Amino acid sequence: MTDITHHTPDALLAAYAAGTLPQPFALVVAAHISLCLKCRAAFEAHQAIGGIVLEGFDAVEISPDLKTNVLSLLDAPDQESDVYARTGVYPGPVMQALKGKPPRWRRLGGGVKQNILSADESGSVRLLYIPPGQAVPDHTHGGLELTLVLQGSFSDETGRFDVGDLEVADEDLDHTPIADYGAPCICLAATDAPLKFNSVLPRVLQPLFRI
Ligand SMILES: [Zn+2]
């Protein structure tokens, strides 16, 4: 695998370890951690710190359910390696979201395809398939967007993103990601708000495709 140069920001790792990250972003961070030893180590450090903080609250009563759940997790050490396992292009957490089946692509035009994994008021997360040299429609963001490269690579105004790289974009970034030549680019992308496209046609199509 190529070296990962764009990592998960520490604040997102901390939020993920604390369980406060909305599900669409949690899936992208989980997938990045499964590919990136550096961020996995940082995430596990956050988890350990969280555990120490919890130990400090010895007056807090723990429900029997929580105790059982924690104990059953401790009894299943193999689960962790399953979570990080990769099936072809797709990291373990993405395979779980796909329920072990191949993606069901829907065409967006220009050869670009998507498979929405989940979409609700907390945001949406999808797989995107972008043919070499093809641009994802130009858009600005109403909120946060995380994009993780699973196959191929793309470039935009901020740099080049290879397999395992995570791009963090917010409402200030007006960018045009273009898939590099080579293998088609497959990405996992999460947003907490609908994307606002700058050209008229995609804006008209937006409600249809829930972009
Ligand atoms: Zn990383």
Side-chain angles (χ1 to χ4, degrees), residues 41-59:
F43 162 68
E44 284 168 0
H46 279 297
Q47 278 189 313
I49 292 165
I52 292 164
V53 171
L54 277 180
E55 276 175 24
F57 290 102
D58 47 18

Side-chain angles (χ1 to χ4, degrees), residues 4-8 13 32-33 35-40 164 166:
I4 294 172
T5 51
H6 301 272
H7 294 278
T8 304
L13 287 174
H32 178 85
I33 286 172
L35 300 174
C36 177
L37 292 176
K38 184 172 176 250
C39 289
R40 192 186 302 179
L166 180 76

